[in-house]
Amino acid sequence: MTTSIPAGGGKLNYGVGDCKRQGCRRSSWITSVTFSRCIQKEISWSRRVSKFLRIQRCSSSQSPITENWKSIRTVTSYKRDGSTKYFDFAVIGSGVAGLRYALEVAKHGSVAVITKAESHESNTKYAQGGVSAVLCPTDSVESHMQDTIVAGAYLCDEETVRVVCTEGPDRIRELIAMGASFDHGEDGNLHLAREGGHSHHRIVHAADVTGREIERALLEAVLMDPNITMFEHHFAIDLLTSQDGSDTVCLGVDTLNTETLEVIRFISKVTLLASGGAGHIYPTTTNPPVATGDGIAMAHRAEAVISNMEFVQFHPTALADEGLPIRPTKTRENAFLITEAVRGDGGILYNLDMERFMPMYDERAELAPRDVVARGIDDQLKKRNEKYVLLDISHKPREKILSHFPNIAAECLQYGLDITRHPIPVVPAAHYMCGGVRAGLQGETNVQGLYVAGEVACTGLHGANRLASNSLLEALVFARRAVQPSIDHMKSSNLDFSASNWWARPFVPMALGINITDKIIQMTKEVRKQLQAIMWKHVGIVRSTMRLKTAERKIGELEAKWEEYLFREGWEPTMVGLEACEMRNLFCCAKLVVSSALARHESRGLHYTIDFPHLEESLRLPTIIFPCSPVKGTWSSQQLHKQSKYLELQP
């Protein structure tokens, strides 16, 4: 019999020991989970990961569903009415991972690509530097692996690293065959750049707009494929899950069409989460506005296992608008990235007295991994009470600067700064989530039918810190590796047209009226700024136990205050709106980051705490967050289609 999974509530707990036996201790504000350091010697990150991820399953109340998922009928694509759509594959996200996957699975069935804004708006578009791959005869897979593992503070899964570094070159060749155009040298071969943390020149790039070029090539192919339908401006609300014996099964996703304000339900045999990261839990981020942690939060509410959320990468060099000769007239929605490749090409960091400072922090100086450079800049800013540092590339030939970094040069020039003559003002900004939904070597999760790729996933590649230009590489490799198991799962599954009625349908709060809705939106925007301020002040580049506990308390109070306001104004638990749903996802991700950071009693990679400033070999283990049963969950911790449970849980 197939049964629904109840949503969860409670606090993240930490325990060291055998991950096969974890008690479920419960508390107040976050979806009930058990936190564990899993001994890698016992169970590899990637080997038999699905079995491993199902080890922790806490008892839960279950409500029956009368119809069974596996019906006799099989369809390719069927639309019963305007509000429900049926596909073989649902892809959430239109970045490199989602598009590359869609192109492959479309050879075997119908595909819906569901994207939050325009199809081209994703983190991929803003990736400047390039894709790392071993393409030079003097380079080697072993060298790329070593660089990745060192940058990841030895927390990387070696099997995953080997797979990605080995398969990377073929993924690059596939992109070129599809029409992606990368820079070539005078000898006609690909021009390979070098970035911080890399021991060789291995970065394939298209000037300083590599992500945009890859996105262009993939989008052109997707739009020409008759088996792929693109759904723009569809915000993913929650995954649709049910229980099949001991297995959680994903059967699709609810979305909000943000232009028509209709709730559209997608029923699918296979779902790929490729929704990007959660940069907007911080006020300053290089991520586009769509990066509000929707995929991680949805997966967490659907009882997927989450891992390594404490490792938030701050890019050392985002453009500091305060240091520009002409200030931008309005605040940017996302910080403008100054690629790692500027330092790889010889850029030097100075404080405002033009003193070079990175050699004081690391013998690799400007070519140290990002976490080291970001902490060095952060230390300079705090010691000197300054708001930015300077990155100088002007000592290089003008022609070389303009050919390698045309986008950066043009952006700075419109604000009166010629980077061929003057240094660039830079400051760290939230950039990349190394943690996410825990995945095996084929992108599989502990939720059957749910696969992940890209920044939303935690594959074990990055460990405690991502090596520069490994993100697009990982997305390409895992999008491709998830294809065959997805096809196998699709072929063994059938679409049941009655499935759409298994879950309550969220609805738009039209009945509240425009005045109340506007008040709620305005209040939510203010709450968002307050959450971001808490995260920046207390959960930033340098942390402490006191700061983290303060953040935990303040976030809990802020969320309770916001939810109380919503429901006092007439909001109902199954109502949906873009701003409110983004807010619940931001709360969910912020709490996961804080709780994971509190549990790690060492400094490793991107997680640096003054209370535990050293590496501890005994703690060289991933953070694992297991789902448990509900106890007084908040709105952000509950799947909306099960919100009838929410009211029962309130005191």
Side-chain angles (χ1 to χ4, degrees), residues 598-651:
L598 275 169
R600 185 168 289 279
H601 294 171
E602 64 163 349
S603 288
R604 184 178 296 275
L606 298 164
H607 174 70
Y608 183 84
T609 170
I610 60 176
D611 295 304
F612 304 98
H614 305 295
L615 283 172
E616 294 290 342
E617 180 59 24
S618 62
L619 298 179
R620 186 165 62 88
L621 303 163
T623 307
I624 310 293
I625 302 172
F626 292 101
C628 282
S629 57
V631 177
K632 295 184 180 178
T634 63
W635 192 50
S636 74
S637 68
Q638 306 290 314
Q639 287 182 309
L640 283 189
H641 54 76
K642 297 168 185 170
Q643 283 294 326
S644 58
K645 297 287 183 186
Y646 175 86
L647 296 177
E648 298 170 12
L649 295 171
Q650 300 313 297

Side-chain angles (χ1 to χ4, degrees), residues 48 119 121 158 266 272 277 285 303 342 421 441 468 492 631 633:
R48 299 184 300 278
S119 55
E121 186 68 4
E158 186 173 342
F266 289 84
L272 177 81
T285 175
E303 301 200 342
V342 173
R421 299 177 59 194
L441 275 176
S492 66
V631 177

Side-chain angles (χ1 to χ4, degrees), residues 136-149:
C136 176
T138 60
D139 198 1
S140 68
V141 168
E142 287 70 24
S143 177
H144 192 183
M145 286 181 62
Q146 180 66 13
D147 291 346
T148 298
I149 291 168

Side-chain angles (χ1 to χ4, degrees), residues 341-363:
V342 173
R343 285 182 285 121
D345 253 18
I348 297 173
L349 285 164
Y350 298 97
N351 58 33
L352 297 191
D353 285 335
M354 292 306 292
E355 298 168 339
R356 188 182 184 188
F357 58 83
M358 274 311 301
M360 295 190 299
Y361 298 98
D362 193 282
E363 61 184 9

Side-chain angles (χ1 to χ4, degrees), residues 109 132 379 470:
S132 60
D379 187 56
N470 266 3

Side-chain angles (χ1 to χ4, degrees), residues 151-153 155-156 308 311 371 434 462-466 604-607:
L155 197 64
C156 309
N308 287 358
F311 300 118
D371 60 323
C434 288
H462 305 308
N465 178 37
R466 176 174 69 84
R604 184 178 296 275
L606 298 164
H607 174 70

